[in-house]
Structures are given as structure tokens and as C-alpha cells.
Amino acid sequence: MNHKYSPAGNQTRAEMKNPEAQQDVSVSQGIRMMFYMMKPNETSFQTLEEVPDYVKKATPFFISLILLELVVSWIRKGKPPGRLDDALTSISAGVLSRLPSLFSRSIELTSYIYIWENYRLISLPWDSPWTWYLTFLGVDFGYYWFHRMAHEVNIMWAGHQTHHSSEAYNLSTALRQSVLQIYTSWVFYLPLAVFVPPSVFAVHLQFNLLYQFWIHTEVIDNLGPLELILNTPSHHRVHHGRNRYCIDKNYAGTLIIWDRIFGTFEAENKKVVYGLTHPINTFDAFKVQFHHLVYIWTTFWATPGFFNKFSVIFKGPGWGPGKPRLGLSEEIPEVTGKEVPYSSSASHLLRIYAVLQFALMLAFYEDTFADKAALSQFTLLLRVCFIILTLTSIGFLLDQRQDAAAVETSRCLVLLTLCRFGHLKPLIPSLSFVFEI
């Protein structure tokens, strides 16, 4: 079969090149999309190009909910829900995870469209509520199995562990996303491509992600009967725990029913201690993303035997020769509840400087995404390199590394050079003359 995605329920490649024709999202829709409460008749689109970038449009709602969590935490507990250094690292991971999209379409959509165009069996109507709800279930089911495999297959865990590396649990933790994860998750959604139009899939792929933002919080306790069906903050706190009873539990995206059906459900009952079983103790953006890949590489070469080497990659993170596929639960370090999370020893003044530089980087980051259609590939590449350098430098400053001052000095020189040659725009236009001297 060699179908083309065209307007009669399908869409050609040429028509997908115009991403600008997207409807706006109202405030009401913005709030409801964060909780998967949008209706089929307002989120059904004939073509992929019509589908809004809901994740991008959710930025003000991310910020609003983070501020609301901060206020509620101060009122209820008299303290913020997390630490500044941890929050900066989480947001840094989120920034890094989105940078590849400046250069190419998501592999999740690209692979899905390929299967749809060449191998689909039937074409469900894009405007049917039945298609909408079926896709909701299908995407959530696919996410459950991707998420479970991301914990049970070591090479997939190398990507997903980034999200679990925070020792805090708040809304900023939800933004701690992996650069690598998307390169394995796409496989689990491909069965839908033989009958669900890409435009419907693209909507639910985003909503499934957005729903998982608000459940990363400790300010919401138990939601009563909703706990039976939905993934909630309580269920997801268990998933992020490093207590033995929390390991490999509650993989749900939106519906907790999958965990109940497949035997991976665990209710919250003891104080949850968050993070990896072996904390990485760093704010270095690259170590947060790639440290487990380095561990796999080292273990692979240190492990004798072809089949053992194969197992290092494709069995669980806790596997070793002579052990079960997922390792031994008794080897997971016990927690006492008195663990002290890793925190920066940087001075208050240095932290303020780091926050200011981080805010400037975010402004350049948002400007780059807003103007990417008008920027050359060379300028895009230079901007991405500058963003990565900034995140690296901030991590070094927070970690108080000896080479932090040299890296930050180099970063400032790069900033001045990029502004001087027009690859970055000064945030205050009236200061442009400074770079013309």
C-alpha cells in the first residue's frame, strides 16, 4: 500500500510544510488542556498542519501552575516546594530536550506518518468522537508500555533516568526531560498508525504529555475515587521514589488502570524519598543527561562474554551475571527518610548571578524558537551551541567546579561575539550600538 496523506482525510507532504496555520488556544482551553479536559469537537483536525503546538502554547500555564504551587506550599508548609539549584537543573534538561526540534520534525511524528502513508489498513474518520476516544486510549496504552520498558531495558533507561535524577518532587521536576528518550518511545505508538490519522495522534501525544505535568507535586494529597482510574500526584510520587516498595511501579501516563491490569500498581503508604537509587550529585546538564550511557559503556567492556554484554544493554539496569533480568531487589539501597538531597554550596551572590544568566538564556531560547523560520541553519546552530554552553556553565557554577570561572568567562566572550556579528539580538534594542563599536 502506498497511500498519501491528503485533504480527504489525508494530507500530502507539501501541505505539511506550513506550520503557521494553527488555531489559537483560549485561556479556558489552555487550562483544560493541562488536565486532558478538552472536547473532541474542539481538538479534531483534518490535517496535521492545523494541529496547534499545544506544548508550546502551554508555557504560560506551566509558569502559572509553578507559581501557584509555590504559593500553596508557602501557605501550607512555610517553605518552597523545592530548591533553586534543582529547579534550574530540571528546566535546563527541558530546554536541552527541545533543541533538536529546531532542526527537524519529531521522530514520533515522522515515523508515524511514514507508516500511515505506506502501510495503513483502514482510515478512521478524523472528526469522529469515537476516533478521538479510541486514540486517547491507544496513546495512553502505548505510553504505559514505553514507560515500563524504559525502566526494564537498560539502554532505554539511559534516556529516561534523566527524569528521575531529581531528589525533589515538584512541578519543575516535570520539565526534567531527556534528550534521548524520544528516540525509543516512537516505536510503541506505531500500531496506531495503521488506522488512526496523524492529526488525531498528534493531538493526543501532546495531551498525554501535558497531563503528566500537574501530577508532579506534593501539595495535592489524595483525590478520592479518582485514584481508582486516573494517574494522580499520589500514584506518581510512588513512581519517583527510590524506596524499595516504589521501584518499577505506577508507569501510567493518564490512566492508572493499566498498572492495575498488568500488576505494576503500588499505593503510596510510606514517606517517599525521591531520586535515583544511586544519586548522581551534580547539576552538570550533560552528566544529568548522559551519565548512565557512560556507565553502560564501561560496564559493557568490563563484562565478559557475548551474551552477558548483550544483557548489559537489553536487560534491566540492576542486572548482572547470575542475576534475574531486573536485578535483585535486596541490592537496592535502603532509605531511612533522613536522606539529605545534594545541594549547591555556591554563595547567594553567585546563585543570583546564575539565575540572571539563566533568565537571559531563556529569553534567547524563546526568541530562537519564535524566529526559527527566518534564521539560517548556521545561526540556529550557533544559538543552540550558545544555549548548551550557558547551561553547562551554570551547572559548573552550581557544582563549584574549579574550571567554572574559565568556562563562564569564555561563555561571556561568545555572547559578545554572537551579538557583535548579529547572530544574537540584544534583548534591549537600544543597547545594539554597544556591539557595533
Side-chain angles (χ1 to χ4, degrees):
M1 301 180 189
N2 187 21
H3 304 288
K4 296 299 178 185
Y5 191 31
S6 63
N10 310 316
Q11 181 188 32
T12 65
R13 288 188 178 92
E15 288 170 316
M16 291 188 293
K17 292 180 179 177
N18 177 19
E20 304 302 324
Q22 295 184 353
Q23 70 172 31
D24 291 328
V25 174
S26 68
V27 174
S28 169
Q29 289 176 323
I31 294 172
R32 287 185 289 119
M33 75 183 182
M34 300 297 293
F35 301 95
Y36 223 135
M37 297 175 66
M38 298 283 270
K39 300 175 184 176
N41 63 355
E42 59 186 342
T43 55
S44 295
F45 306 94
Q46 183 176 8
T47 61
L48 190 59
E49 69 198 15
E50 295 175 89
V51 178
D53 186 344
Y54 288 111
V55 175
K56 181 179 178 181
K57 294 176 185 294
T59 299
F61 301 98
F62 290 151
I63 296 171
S64 298
L65 287 175
I66 288 173
L67 292 176
L68 179 61
E69 180 190 41
L70 179 63
V71 171
V72 172
S73 182
W74 269 112
I75 293 174
R76 291 182 56 185
K77 301 179 180 181
K79 62 179 182 179
R83 305 182 317 280
L84 178 64
D85 46 21
D86 184 84
L88 289 180
T89 306
S90 292
I91 300 171
S92 295
V95 167
L96 280 175
S97 73
R98 286 198 66 205
L99 292 179
S101 65
L102 285 168
F103 301 99
S104 62
R105 185 190 292 275
S106 159
I107 190 174
E108 287 174 322
L109 285 177
T110 302
S111 58
Y112 192 97
I113 292 168
Y114 176 80
I115 297 298
W116 169 263
E117 289 184 343
N118 294 282
Y119 299 105
R120 76 176 180 269
L121 301 177
I122 59 174
S123 301
L124 294 182
W126 63 269
D127 55 350
S128 168
W130 290 105
T131 303
W132 198 94
Y133 287 112
L134 178 64
T135 310
F136 159 65
L137 290 173
V139 168
D140 203 48
F141 183 71
Y143 178 82
Y144 169 85
W145 282 107
F146 152 68
H147 196 184
R148 183 168 175 173
M149 291 302 102
H151 281 255
E152 295 185 2
V153 177
N154 205 15
I155 193 66
M156 293 177 66
W157 174 246
H160 187 62
Q161 60 78 32
T162 298
H163 183 61
H164 284 265
S165 61
S166 173
E167 295 180 86
Y169 190 77
N170 52 58
L171 292 179
S172 72
T173 308
L175 303 177
R176 188 178 286 228
Q177 296 295 319
S178 167
V179 173
L180 300 173
Q181 181 170 292
I182 197 171
Y183 299 104
T184 54
S185 62
W186 60 275
V187 177
F188 295 84
Y189 303 114
L190 292 186
L192 292 172
V194 299
F195 57 92
V196 173
S199 59
V200 185
F201 169 71
V203 167
H204 288 281
L205 189 64
Q206 295 184 80
F207 286 168
N208 191 274
L209 175 65
L210 291 175
Y211 177 88
Q212 295 177 56
F213 176 76
W214 74 274
I215 61 177
H216 289 82
T217 185
E218 291 189 297
V219 302
I220 298 175
D221 296 322
N222 189 284
L223 294 179
L226 293 178
E227 302 279 342
L228 296 173
I229 301 171
L230 296 176
N231 193 13
T232 64
S234 176
H235 296 329
H236 205 57
R237 284 193 289 270
V238 171
H239 180 71
H240 272 258
R242 69 182 199 238
N243 314 56
R244 286 184 179 177
Y245 88 92
C246 298
I247 301 299
D248 295 338
K249 300 296 182 181
N250 299 0
Y251 297 114
T254 303
L255 299 174
I256 200 66
I257 60 172
W258 309 123
D259 287 287
R260 296 184 184 278
I261 291 171
F262 296 111
T264 52
F265 175 74
E266 188 70 45
E268 185 178 26
N269 55 63
K270 298 179 182 177
K271 174 181 170 58
V272 177
V273 178
Y274 303 109
L276 300 172
T277 56
H278 298 86
I280 56 175
N281 296 336
T282 184
F283 300 114
D284 181 341
F286 271 85
K287 283 189 178 179
V288 168
Q289 291 286 344
F290 304 117
H291 79 95
H292 196 72
L293 270 183
V294 175
Y295 170 78
I296 291 176
W297 176 262
T298 304
T299 306
F300 178 86
W301 290 111
T303 303
F306 172 80
F307 289 106
N308 283 338
K309 290 182 184 295
F310 182 87
S311 296
V312 167
I313 298 173
F314 294 106
K315 289 188 178 181
W319 178 85
K323 298 178 184 177
R325 181 175 67 89
L326 299 181
L328 298 169
S329 61
E330 55 265 32
E331 291 185 349
I332 299 170
E334 290 274 16
V335 298
T336 63
K338 298 179 181 179
E339 286 74 13
V340 178
Y342 176 72
S343 61
S344 174
S345 60
S347 67
H348 290 299
L349 190 61
L350 188 57
R351 293 186 192 203
I352 292 172
Y353 175 82
V355 169
L356 290 175
Q357 296 306 316
F358 192 83
L360 287 172
M361 180 278 302
L362 283 180
F364 288 132
Y365 167 82
E366 289 294 333
D367 182 67
T368 299
F369 271 89
D371 294 346
K372 70 175 182 178
L375 298 174
S376 69
Q377 289 291 298
F378 182 63
T379 296
L380 274 178
L381 182 61
L382 289 176
R383 289 192 177 198
V384 165
C385 290
F386 173 71
I387 290 170
I388 292 173
L389 179 59
T390 300
L391 296 178
T392 301
S393 181
I394 289 173
F396 283 16
L397 290 172
L398 293 176
D399 277 345
Q400 290 287 273
R401 287 181 46 155
Q402 291 184 349
D403 50 355
V407 172
E408 177 59 14
T409 301
S410 300
R411 188 195 70 87
C412 291
L413 292 174
V414 169
L415 171 62
L416 293 173
T417 302
L418 291 178
C419 288
R420 172 65 180 83
F421 290 99
H423 295 295
L424 280 177
K425 295 183 297 184
L427 298 178
I428 303 175
S430 60
L431 295 180
S432 297
F433 75 93
V434 173
F435 306 101
E436 297 174 0
I437 298 175

